[in-house]
Amino acid sequence: MAHTQYERITTKQTLNRVKEERMPFDWSINPYRGCGHGCSFCYARAFQSFIGMGAEDEFQHHIFMKSNAAEALEKQLSSAARKFDHDIEAMRRFIGQVTIGTATDPYQPIESKEGITRECLKLLAKYRISTSITTRSPLVLRDMDILTRMENVSVNISLNTLNGDIIRKLEPASPHPEGRLDTIHRLSAAGIRTGLFVAPVLPFLTDKESELKDLLSQAKVRGVSFAMISLLRLSRDVKKWYIETLKHQFPEVVQPYRELYGQGAYAEEHYVRSFKSMAARLLNEYELNGLTSEASAAAVSKAGAIESVTSQQNGTQVEGARDHLLSVGDLLAPAQPRKLPQPAAPVSGEELMPDIEQLSFPF
């Protein structure tokens, strides 16, 4: 097994402006570069070339940690607060939506030790910034003490199949489907707006309509507010690694993939049209696309748009797949209740209070 190297780096700014107008958010935060989950299809693998690194195994086993991310974020937000004479509401409207986790998972395994995402989240709560988080990990539940005190926050859980065998082979270190569904349930029960990102859907592996219906059904039971379904995109560097992974794990679909994605990063047009039609039908059927807020726009376009914008800025079903699907009964009544992840120390009221409010007192 490859040894994972963790490297601390510093950043000049944590908030990065998203200039693309079609994006449903204004700023992005990525506390880490590289991801320990190791998803073979992850579009963020392509970003490694920006720093002279490869999109292959290095992406999973060389993780960069922005150790000063919270300090840099504090400087940016406090500067914005001064610009608006500490009118926090005016500042909040000016900044708009911030999304955490547009490139790599902010709750990947090392976050349990480092807590960089948690410290950034405290600051977003302190300045009452509208925040969206995208993750595959139940570790986000550790920060419920912050999330439940934020005024405008949503959490998007990424899960593209209930098939645990496919998950383990293509996302070697990511959480099991059961854990992600349980996370949706716990977040929703706590009153936190929660979405399901069925992304990316993998042709010939996770694109069967009946299995997507199972996934949406089980998320709906757990209180998910909305869903997005997005098809796999394969940039050149990502395609090379993903196809090599398929050769070892699912060799029977390698040739169908080469034919489907032979012309570039996107699947053949006829397949795409059919897929989009099915996805729209399923979202309508489960009433998971009827939002009217910005979150609705995010749910419709986020996965496909994020990969192209972030890069500028910084058939046949597998035999036996149904045997690995979890039943609704199994997931609603787990054999052993899961213990919630706990922070090292609960957040205090003072940590979430803007400085100007800390200085005020009654005469």
Side-chain angles (χ1 to χ4, degrees), residues 105-126:
D105 201 311
Y107 286 98
Q108 58 181 284
I110 192 61
E111 169 62 17
S112 64
K113 175 183 177 183
E114 295 295 318
I116 300 174
T117 298
R118 179 174 173 82
E119 293 305 310
C120 290
L121 196 60
K122 287 179 184 178
L123 292 167
L124 295 172
K126 174 180 176 179

Side-chain angles (χ1 to χ4, degrees), residues 266-291:
Y266 297 94
E268 182 270 329
E269 185 177 353
H270 177 75
Y271 178 95
V272 171
R273 285 199 304 268
S274 176
F275 172 82
K276 287 184 175 180
S277 175
M278 176 184 67
R281 185 173 67 254
L282 292 179
L283 292 177
N284 282 328
E285 179 179 345
Y286 289 95
E287 299 179 334
L288 290 174
N289 65 348
L291 303 180

Side-chain angles (χ1 to χ4, degrees), residues 4-73:
T4 300
Q5 176 183 353
Y6 296 98
E7 182 175 343
R8 297 183 186 279
I9 60 174
T10 58
T11 182
K12 293 183 179 179
Q13 59 181 37
T14 299
L15 274 178
N16 294 295
R17 169 73 79 174
V18 176
K19 298 179 180 179
E20 179 62 46
E21 293 183 359
R22 63 195 174 106
M23 293 303 291
F25 51 88
D26 305 285
W27 301 85
S28 67
I29 292 178
N30 290 289
Y32 302 94
R33 181 184 288 275
C35 184
H37 288 156
C39 301
S40 58
F41 45 74
C42 182
Y43 62 80
R45 288 179 177 273
F47 306 156
Q48 296 290 89
S49 62
F50 298 162
I51 56 173
M53 299 180 69
E56 302 180 354
D57 209 32
E58 197 171 32
F59 175 78
Q60 180 183 358
H61 295 294
H62 191 160
I63 310 298
F64 294 90
M65 308 178 298
K66 299 178 183 178
S67 56
N68 72 324
E71 290 81 359
L73 180 59

Side-chain angles (χ1 to χ4, degrees), residues 178-289:
E178 182 181 352
R180 297 189 224 178
L181 288 172
D182 183 60
T183 301
I184 290 174
H185 174 69
R186 291 177 185 252
L187 290 168
S188 300
I192 297 168
R193 186 181 190 82
T194 309
L196 172 68
F197 280 6
V198 186
V201 174
L202 309 175
F204 315 119
L205 294 172
T206 70
D207 62 344
K208 192 172 182 179
E209 182 171 349
S210 61
E211 296 183 12
L212 290 172
K213 291 181 71 170
D214 285 343
L215 175 53
L216 292 175
S217 175
Q218 296 195 33
K220 181 80 171 182
V221 167
R222 286 160 180 79
V224 74
S225 299
F226 62 92
M228 177 275 293
I229 304 176
S230 179
L231 188 62
L232 176 69
R233 177 183 179 273
L234 289 175
S235 63
R236 183 178 61 183
D237 291 341
V238 178
K239 182 187 290 187
K240 179 181 178 182
W241 177 254
Y242 181 61
I243 293 297
E244 285 301 312
T245 303
L246 291 180
K247 287 180 180 178
H248 294 284
Q249 303 294 354
F250 301 102
E252 66 274 27
V253 302
V254 169
Q255 186 56 36
Y257 261 96
R258 285 175 171 160
E259 294 173 2
L260 187 64
Y261 285 87
Q263 301 304 311
Y266 297 94
E268 182 270 329
E269 185 177 353
H270 177 75
Y271 178 95
V272 171
R273 285 199 304 268
S274 176
F275 172 82
K276 287 184 175 180
S277 175
M278 176 184 67
R281 185 173 67 254
L282 292 179
L283 292 177
N284 282 328
E285 179 179 345
Y286 289 95
E287 299 179 334
L288 290 174
N289 65 348

